[in-house]
């Protein structure tokens, strides 16, 4: 009996030593980042247009990213950024992402866990300038979906299919005591693209009201062009009448040689109102947006972008339109 116990203990100790040895390799650290600056100005047209148009220029964002592979099953991610236009920087302005990512298998297939703050897995457009095909974000990104989420994410990946669910704070809230949201995403990889469906609901702790959102995004590479599409539906509950939100986005990016690319995008959003309020003032209202952009590779890791964007708030009895040219320079490492 004692021999069996000693043998089992020895085997367990040996297994722990082997596991510790496997995890003892020095971690692999990848450091990257970018500096992004721009000059932009909005011109207004229409009977209700403001009298002044102000030029804005300077550094938009400085970012430093650390991607640490501790083990094939464990990654750590830390994205530090500074955005001068944010004013006095708080945690959410400095730490864009900070999370632990664990895979049940070294192949990173099967179950995975992410804990911390991460870019929200919602929508068709990326958050940071080096990953974008234009200067601005569409209306769905700005007003109808989260940019970052902080919480616990559980998922499973197998072949072309990835699914995940999460419990997180409210949208773009690194600290949000007592405000719990549920969410999930399903991805299916196509031969040259993919389709994803995401949803969030909350707050679970407030039984009198809540907000639900569902978003479908699609991307496909034709070779001669990249196509993107997105559909977003939302609902506020708990009001006298439940309020609906609806929007869509369509975008195409066409490479022209090795150094030039052209992007065209349109997005529309009707959010929680009857069209009498201004989307750009309080996040509610109806609006249409159209953008044309040209991307230019100057050298490796250095590019320029010019965008012309037209915004048309669809407000009853109000005549106004914004026309915004923007020029951007981005350097990456």
């Amino acid at each position: 009996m004692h021999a069996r116990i000693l043998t089992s203990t020895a085997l367990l100790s040996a297994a722990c030593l082997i596991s510790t040895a496997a995890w003892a390799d020095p971690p692999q650290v990848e450091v990257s980042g970018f500096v992004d600056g721009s000059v932009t100005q909005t011109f207004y047209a229409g009977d209700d247009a403001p009298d002044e148009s102000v030029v804005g220029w300077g550094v938009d964002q400085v970012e430093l990213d650390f991607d640490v592979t501790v083990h094939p099953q464990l990654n750590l991610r830390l994205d530090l950024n500074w955005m001068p236009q944010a004013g006095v920087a708080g945690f959410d302005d400095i730490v864009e992402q900070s999370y632990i990512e664990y895979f049940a298998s070294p192949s990173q297939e099967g179950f995975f866990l992410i804990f911390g703050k991460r870019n929200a897995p919602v929508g068709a457009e990326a958050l940071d300038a080096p990953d974008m095909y234009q200067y601005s974000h569409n209306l769905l990104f700005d007003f109808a979906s989260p940019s970052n989420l902080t919480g616990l994410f559980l998922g499973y990946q197998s072949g072309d299919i990835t699914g995940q669910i999460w419990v997180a704070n409210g949208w773009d809230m690194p600290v949000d005591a007592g405000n719990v949201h549920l969410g999930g995403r399903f991805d299916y990889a196509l031969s040259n693209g993919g389709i994803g469906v995401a949803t969030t609901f909350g707050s679970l702790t407030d039984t009198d009201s809540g907000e639900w959102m569902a978003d479908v995004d699609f991307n496909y590479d034709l070779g001669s062009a990249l196509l993107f599409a997105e559909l977003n539906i939302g609902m506020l509950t708990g009001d006298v009448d439940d309020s609906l939100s609806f929007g869509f986005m369509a975008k195409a990016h066409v490479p022209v040689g090795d150094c030039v690319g052209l992007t065209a995008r349109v997005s529309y959003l009707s959010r929680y109102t009857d069209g009498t309020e201004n989307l750009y003032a309080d996040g509610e209202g109806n609006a249409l947006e159209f953008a044309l952009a040209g991307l230019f590779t100057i050298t490796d890791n250095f590019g320029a972008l010019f965008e012309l964007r037209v915004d048309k708030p669809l407000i009853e009895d109000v005549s106004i339109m914004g026309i915004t040219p923007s020029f951007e320079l981005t350097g990456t490492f």
Side-chain angles (χ1 to χ4, degrees):
M1 178 69 177
H2 292 288
R4 289 182 179 178
I5 294 175
L6 290 174
T7 300
S8 299
T9 303
L11 290 173
L12 181 60
S13 299
C16 290
L17 287 173
I18 293 171
S19 176
T20 302
W23 284 71
D25 293 335
Q28 300 177 7
V29 182
E30 295 184 9
V31 181
S32 61
F34 67 91
V35 177
D36 168 37
S38 68
V39 56
T40 182
Q41 183 173 11
T42 300
F43 301 91
Y44 296 98
D47 296 337
D48 300 289
D51 296 331
E52 297 182 357
S53 177
V54 179
V55 177
W57 65 283
V59 176
D60 291 338
Q61 186 173 357
V62 179
E63 181 160 322
L64 183 62
D65 302 333
F66 300 89
D67 198 343
V68 183
T69 301
V70 181
H71 181 272
Q73 293 173 246
L74 179 64
N75 296 328
L76 305 180
R77 179 76 186 207
L78 175 63
D79 294 2
L80 303 176
N81 60 196
W82 177 61
M83 292 170 284
Q85 70 273 20
V88 179
F91 172 85
D92 198 37
D93 301 310
I94 298 173
V95 181
E96 178 187 323
Q97 296 194 102
S98 55
Y99 62 80
I100 300 166
E101 184 176 33
Y102 176 76
F103 298 91
S105 169
S107 67
Q108 300 189 357
E109 288 278 316
F111 290 99
F112 64 88
L113 173 152
I114 298 174
F115 179 77
K117 181 187 179 187
R118 63 179 294 206
N119 295 157
V122 179
E125 288 192 341
L127 180 64
D128 290 329
D131 304 316
M132 296 168 61
Y133 294 95
Q134 69 291 316
Y135 175 72
S136 64
H137 288 106
N138 68 75
L139 295 174
L140 279 62
F141 184 101
D142 285 337
F143 298 107
S145 59
S147 297
N148 292 293
L149 293 172
T150 301
L152 175 65
F153 304 77
L154 299 175
Y156 185 86
Q157 179 175 330
S158 178
D160 297 332
I161 296 175
T162 302
Q164 56 184 306
I165 58 173
W166 60 78
V167 181
N169 293 336
W171 293 6
D172 302 299
M173 297 293 293
V175 179
D176 197 15
N179 190 12
V180 181
H181 285 64
L182 286 180
R185 179 176 177 90
F186 175 85
D187 283 285
Y188 181 75
L190 305 173
S191 57
N192 292 308
I195 185 169
V197 181
T199 185
T200 68
F201 176 79
S203 163
L204 299 183
T205 53
D206 186 352
T207 57
D208 295 327
S209 63
E211 183 175 19
W212 169 81
M213 181 275 299
D215 188 280
V216 180
D217 62 84
F218 168 83
N219 67 88
Y220 197 80
D221 187 353
L222 295 175
S224 58
L226 294 172
L227 303 180
F228 302 86
E230 185 175 353
L231 178 67
N232 185 288
I233 302 173
M235 177 181 289
L236 285 177
T237 60
D239 298 335
V240 176
D241 295 313
D242 291 343
S243 302
L244 290 174
S245 169
F246 170 79
F248 67 85
M249 185 275 295
K251 181 171 67 177
H253 175 77
V254 179
V256 182
D258 297 329
C259 299
V260 179
L262 302 175
T263 302
R265 182 190 66 200
V266 61
S267 64
Y268 167 82
L269 182 61
S270 174
R271 185 165 171 80
Y272 298 149
T273 75
D274 58 5
T276 59
E277 298 182 51
N278 187 350
L279 177 74
Y280 302 94
D282 52 21
E284 300 182 355
N286 300 338
L288 181 68
E289 166 274 326
F290 180 75
L292 289 174
L295 291 74
F296 307 91
T297 301
I298 301 172
T299 65
D300 292 342
N301 303 99
F302 181 44
L305 186 153
F306 178 80
E307 178 186 277
L308 182 63
R309 171 169 170 155
V310 177
D311 288 273
K312 177 57 178 173
L314 306 177
I315 310 168
E316 292 182 0
D317 302 323
V318 175
S319 174
I320 186 173
M321 181 173 64
I323 302 171
T324 307
S326 302
F327 178 73
E328 176 186 46
L329 291 174
T330 303
T332 64
F333 63 90

